[in-house]
Structure formats: C-alpha cells, structure tokens
RNA sequence: GGAGAGAUGGCCGAGAGGUUGAAGGCGCUCGCCUCGAAAGCGAGUGGGCGUAAAUCCGCCUCGUGAGUUCGAAUCUCACUCUCUCCGCCA
C-alpha cells in the first residue's frame, strides 16, 4: 500500500509509476475524495471538541446543582450531526481504502522500463546448459518411466495439475526440502519457521494477495474466511503484522518450508504437463525484514543465497531483473532466477526474489523504531524462493538424465537419499 | 461440541457511566548523587490522524464491530482470541 500522503503530494510521480507498469488508476477521483474526507474530518473534529468540552461542563454543573436541561438538549443535536458526518467520513474512507489496496507498488528507479517479460534484463549466468548426444526426455516422461512420478493417478485422486511422487521421487523431493532448509539455516543464518498453511483474510491482504487477486487463491468454506497459502511469504511476513520491532532485531532472516496452493486461474493450457505448474507444490521460502537503508543490499544477498542452491546442485541458471511491466503487484524490484530446463529449451523461473520496500509493511503495519524513543517507521520486507522444490526436482531429472534412462543424484543430496547416487528403474 | 472465566499501556495490575489516556508496581530513558555501579531522589515514558517538521493544541484509540447516552474502559448486543473443566481426536 502506498502512503496516502505521498500520493497527495506526488500525484504525478504515482501516475508515472503506474504508467510504467501499464496500469490505470482513478487517481483524480481518489484525490477528490481524499480532499472531501479531510474537510469533513476537520468539521467533525470541531464538533467533537465542542461535545467533549460541553460534556465536562454538564458534569460540573450537575455537581454544583445547576440546571443542565438546555445544554443536554443542545448537545443531543450536536451528537446527531457528528454521527451523520462520521458516517459520511467512514464511507469515504472505505472507498479510499478500497482504491488504495488496488494500487500496486512503485517500481524502484533501478528497475528496467518495459512492457512484458520480453523486456526483462539478464543480469548474469552461471553454468553451461548441457548438450545431449542422445534423445533426452522431459521430466514427466522420465518420472513416469522410472515410476517415481504419477500424474494419471493424481488426476484420479484429485484432478489436473496435481502429482503423486513415489519411491525415490518422493524421497528426492523430501531431500531437496531438507537440503535447502539446512543450507539456509546453517550457512546463511536464517531462522527456520514452520507456518500454518491456512491463513485469514487479513494476512492475505497484508502481503498483497487480496483484495485484487482473490480468484488466484483457494478459499476454504467452513464458515471461515480462510485461504490456503499460495506461498509461505504470507504466513511468515504476517508473523510480525501489527508489531513494532526492535531496531537491534533487524535484519530478521526467516526460512520456511511450506506447501503452496494456487488456483492458477487464467493459466489454462499453459505448462499442462509435468511439475512446472501445479495447484499444489512445495517451496522453501526466504523472508527478510530490514531497515530501509539496507533493503537493496539485502535483496542482492537474498538472491545470492537462493542462487547458491543451484550452484551446489550443479544446475545452470541465469538471473534476470524484471522490467516494470512484469513486476509483481507488491514488489518494488524483483530478480527472477531461471534454471535451465532442457525440455523447454530455455531458462524457466525457479525463484523470484523481491524487495517490497515499505509496501507490505504499511499494509500489514510492521514497524520498527530507528532509535530509542523515536517514532516507529515501516520496515522493508523482502522474500524469495530458495527454491521452488517441484521445479528443482524437474530440473534435476532433466539435466542429470542418462542415456539409459537413469538420473544421477547431485552429490550434495546423496546424504539425504540414504547414499543413493542414481535413480534407476527398479 | 458442552459448561465456565477472561481480554486495560513494554509487562503486571486497579478502575464498575462524568477533568481516567487511564491509579499503583515493574521495566525503560534522562538528570542528581558516586571514582564507578547499586540503592536513593527527581522528571519522563503507547499508537494513529490532523498540509512538511519540532513544540503546542485538537480528534481517535482500554480485543474488534455496532448500539444506548449530553457523556462509555465502565451499560447492551454480535464477533474474535485466550484460559479452565468435560467430550471427541492425529
């Protein structure tokens, strides 16, 4: 959420930022309502001041035994006016809030301007995509041939866009989760969180999934207003919703494994095969809370932390800076890490690392005190996948497949696989 | 699911319609004292909004939302959460 004062004072900057994103917002109407609200508020406050003073007067007179009937009658009318004005103010506030919640974040100055993912800028590459001297297969074919992935039965159990992992496949997924968590906890200094996979509406609003993207989320219908989390970002960022953090506690680094659930509305027909786009998938998520001054540095470090997973696994990847048109709703700056996926013959997103600056913090009211006794300020929040586990499994199957149909397990995962160095058909 | 109790400032805890934004204590900050510390003494100490900012001032805020009233932390209703007992349960 943007600061309403910032919009008031810099409407052109906001308009410009939205244009770069390719988004329209009813700013003129917004400014008008804001002014009306403030005028009404001023009038209402004058009346409230009168009411407070006269109420004390009544108390004083009553105690002294003086008559108060006239005053009470007069105040009855004042109270009625206050009530009417408050109702108008409230309805204006609701409208303003509704608009405010649908205005995306302002892109950082360093974000390349562009319309779509075609305008994203490659920042760096690591590793070299392997050239195959045999007829390589897509991971869904590898998985089914090795009897470690079963999409058909998942369709029977639930429906499309679900997968069953079996045997070494299930173990590989679990190994990756543990490997990633251990790396981030032990080497990068993150604190592990195991969050609820179901959250309430306030949490979804705090991180920006709601109100605008409700159709993307799975909603629970048991007389509750609960949602399945689309990412651990939601529960973990909301850990500190409506809190004032100690300066000394910053930066805070959290890492969380969670299942993730996405309706994938609007992506019908895309990535219909394999593990790339599922309604349910596993992810290890990195979340940071930082002081404003250091959040850009923290974004660089967070991205490197995520990259290291791919480096240790030996998977080629590249990092791209998302352009203004491709930037997520709440993000001020995002790097996508894309892993080489032979079946796609291109790099495929496996992590998205973002600095939200104070946008989520303002929505979720996450503050800190810059100094003892100072006014609280909004922290900056960041997060990134470290990594999407299902896509990592897919990348391992494809990049490390052998001519005989087996798949070599990366060295670093073997201790998590009971020493297994290769998945073969059994 | 049934029965009961509760939710007040960073924490503990009073308050039961009228200078109560809130006694008292703890904690914290600053000052005095001290070579220094402790103790003691004095002062201060939630958040939001009000065109930028400090001060002043005003409005709002005692779980959340509505209501009664000239006036609500105090009364009414709904909701949320916490605790205790019973039931059920991985």
């Amino acid at each position: 959420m943007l600061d309403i004062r910032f919009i008031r004072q810099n409407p052109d900057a906001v308009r410009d930022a939205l244009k770069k994103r390719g988004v329209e917002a009813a700013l003129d109407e917004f400014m008008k309502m804001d002014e009306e609200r403030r005028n009404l508020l001023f009038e209402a406050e004058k009346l409230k001041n009168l009411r407070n003073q006269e109420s004390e007067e009544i108390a004083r007179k009553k105690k002294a035994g003086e008559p108060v009937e006239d005053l009470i009658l007069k105040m009855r009318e004042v109270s009625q006016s206050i009530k009417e004005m408050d109702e108008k103010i409230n309805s204006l506030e609701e409208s303003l809030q509704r608009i405010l919640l649908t205005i995306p974040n302002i892109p950082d100055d360093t974000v390349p301007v562009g319309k779509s993912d075609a305008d994203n800028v490659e920042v760096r590459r690591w590793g070299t995509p392997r050239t195959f001297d045999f007829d390589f297969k897509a991971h869904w074919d590898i998985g089914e041939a090795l009897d470690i992935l079963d999409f058909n039965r998942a369709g029977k159990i639930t429906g499309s866009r679900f997968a069953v992992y079996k045997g070494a496949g299930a173990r590989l997924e679990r190994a990756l989760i543990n490997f990633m968590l251990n790396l981030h906890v032990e080497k990068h200094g993150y604190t592990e969180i195991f969050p609820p996979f179901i959250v309430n509406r306030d949490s979804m609003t705090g991180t920006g999934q709601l109100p605008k993207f409700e159709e993307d989320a799975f909603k629970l219908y048991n007389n509750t207003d609960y949602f399945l989390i689309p990412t651990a970002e939601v529960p973990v960022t909301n850990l500190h919703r409506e809190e004032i953090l100690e300066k000394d506690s910053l930066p805070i680094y959290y890492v969380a494994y969670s299942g993730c659930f996405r309706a994938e509305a609007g992506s019908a027909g895309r990535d219909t095969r394999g593990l790339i786009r599922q309604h349910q998938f596993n992810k290890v998520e990195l979340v940071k809370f930082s002081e404003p001054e250091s959040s850009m540095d923290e974004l660089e470090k967070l991205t490197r932390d995520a990259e290291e997973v791919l480096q240790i696994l030996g998977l080629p990847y590249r990092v791209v800076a998302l352009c203004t048109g491709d930037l997520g709703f709440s993000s001020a700056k995002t790097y996508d890490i894309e892993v080489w996926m032979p079946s796609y013959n291109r790099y495929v997103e496996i992590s998205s690392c973002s600095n939200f600056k104070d946008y989520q913090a303002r929505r979720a009211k996450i503050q800190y005190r810059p100094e003892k006794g100072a006014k609280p300020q909004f922290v900056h929040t960041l997060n990134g996948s470290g990594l999407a586990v299902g896509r990592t499994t897919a990348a391992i199957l494809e990049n490390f497949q052998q001519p005989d149909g087996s798949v070599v397990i990366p060295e670093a995962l073997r201790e998590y696989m009971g020493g297994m160095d290769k998945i073969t058909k059994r």
Side-chain angles (χ1 to χ4, degrees), chain A residues 286-321:
Chain A
L286 307 170
V287 175
K288 289 186 177 184
F289 301 79
S290 99
E291 295 185 67
E293 297 72 35
S294 52
S295 69
M296 277 306 173
D297 290 340
E298 293 293 348
L299 175 63
E300 298 298 325
K301 279 162 67 183
L302 186 150
T303 308
R304 300 282 182 179
D305 290 341
E307 284 174 56
E308 192 170 338
V309 175
L310 291 171
Q311 290 175 10
I312 295 174
L313 295 176
L315 290 166
Y317 68 88
R318 63 171 194 164
V319 178
V320 299

Side-chain angles (χ1 to χ4, degrees), chain A residues 8 10 15 17 27 37 69 88 101 109 117 126 150 157 175 190 268 274 276-277 294 310 364 402 419-420 424:
Chain A
R8 200 180 290 148
N10 311 280
R15 225 182 297 269
L27 269 195
R37 184 194 73 98
E69 292 311 311
K88 268 187 224 160
L101 286 174
D109 288 339
D117 58 358
W126 185 92
D150 190 339
I157 298 167
Y190 292 72
I276 302 303
R277 195 172 297 277
S294 52
L310 291 171
Q402 304 300 310
M420 191 188 298
T424 52

